[in-house]
Amino acid sequence: MHIEDCFYIGYISKTRGLKGEVQLYFAFDDYKKLDFDTVFLEIEKKLVPFFVESFKIQSNKTGYFFFEDVEHIDAAKELLRKSVYLPKSKMPERDENEFYTSDLVGYLVYDEHHGELGEIIAINEYPQQDIAVVHYRFKELMFPVNDDFIVKIDEEQHVLHVDLPEGLVDVYNE
């Protein structure tokens, strides 16, 4: 399996217990719709298949997994921070009107007071909120992606109109 034939779903964030259980943090928005019979972990720039014995999905974008042949905490520790992929054939279909925060990557950001800020290069997902990262004047400007700041999303033109709090953009001008 090659990485271009797969899509990224998250990474192994920690171990749990002594019997080889690992926690997977999901970066993929629709993680509850995924099929987990086999996952692929990126180890030394190659995708290695891991067969899932059992798993339990949590509501906080995580899940606990037992993999075949990973029966001890020492084996599980070797999987920490490894990226996890699934084949593109297992990508769940989305309704055409579904829109996720991660879809904003590549959108141009316009602020009501400062004009064009730049293109969103990443959406960092944290438990508290999602943070957009924009290249702005040779720096990375970051702002929360929430309804309080979003004025309009133009899906056709790929433009995000925001009204950021006073002083936020000025911090990046110093």
Side-chain angles (χ1 to χ4, degrees):
M1 185 67 63
H2 300 285
I3 205 159
E4 57 271 5
D5 300 325
C6 296
F7 65 100
Y8 177 73
I9 62 166
Y11 64 92
I12 304 297
S13 56
K14 64 182 180 179
T15 62
R16 182 169 130 173
L18 300 174
K19 296 182 179 180
E21 188 174 25
V22 296
Q23 182 185 62
L24 194 158
Y25 173 79
F26 293 105
F28 187 78
D29 289 322
D30 249 351
Y31 65 95
K32 291 181 180 178
K33 294 182 179 178
L34 297 174
D35 176 16
F36 297 112
D37 57 342
T38 304
V39 296
F40 293 85
L41 275 63
E42 186 177 11
I43 299 174
E44 297 178 10
K45 300 188 183 194
K46 292 184 178 161
L47 292 183
V48 178
F50 281 80
F51 301 101
V52 177
E53 280 186 0
S54 66
F55 65 91
K56 184 172 182 183
I57 302 297
Q58 305 295 305
S59 59
N60 62 351
K61 295 195 81 164
T62 63
Y64 291 102
F65 287 75
F66 281 106
F67 299 130
E68 282 184 19
D69 301 324
V70 179
E71 298 170 354
H72 192 269
I73 188 171
D74 292 337
K77 282 182 180 177
E78 292 182 25
L79 305 178
L80 287 175
R81 292 176 291 288
K82 301 293 185 213
S83 295
V84 182
Y85 295 85
L86 283 174
K88 285 183 179 174
S89 61
K90 292 189 176 189
M91 173 90 69
E93 293 200 19
R94 289 174 28 178
D95 293 337
E96 60 183 64
N97 60 349
E98 282 185 289
F99 190 85
Y100 298 111
T101 307
S102 58
D103 294 337
L104 290 172
V105 173
Y107 274 55
L108 195 57
V109 179
Y110 280 93
D111 179 63
E112 298 280 302
H113 307 287
H114 294 90
E116 182 179 323
L117 299 179
E119 183 179 313
I120 296 176
I121 59 169
I123 299 289
N124 297 330
E125 297 179 16
Y126 298 103
Q128 305 87 348
Q129 63 190 355
D130 295 337
I131 302 290
V133 181
V134 175
H135 270 309
Y136 176 72
R137 297 188 180 179
F138 306 105
K139 296 179 182 174
E140 286 188 350
L141 179 144
M142 295 189 270
F143 63 90
V145 179
N146 66 40
D147 293 338
D148 295 338
F149 303 142
I150 294 175
V151 175
K152 177 177 137 187
I153 299 173
D154 184 342
E155 292 183 55
E156 215 171 273
Q157 298 294 317
H158 286 193
V159 176
L160 175 66
H161 295 273
V162 296
D163 185 7
L164 296 178
E166 188 176 320
L168 180 71
V169 176
D170 297 331
V171 169
Y172 296 94
N173 288 327
E174 297 172 358

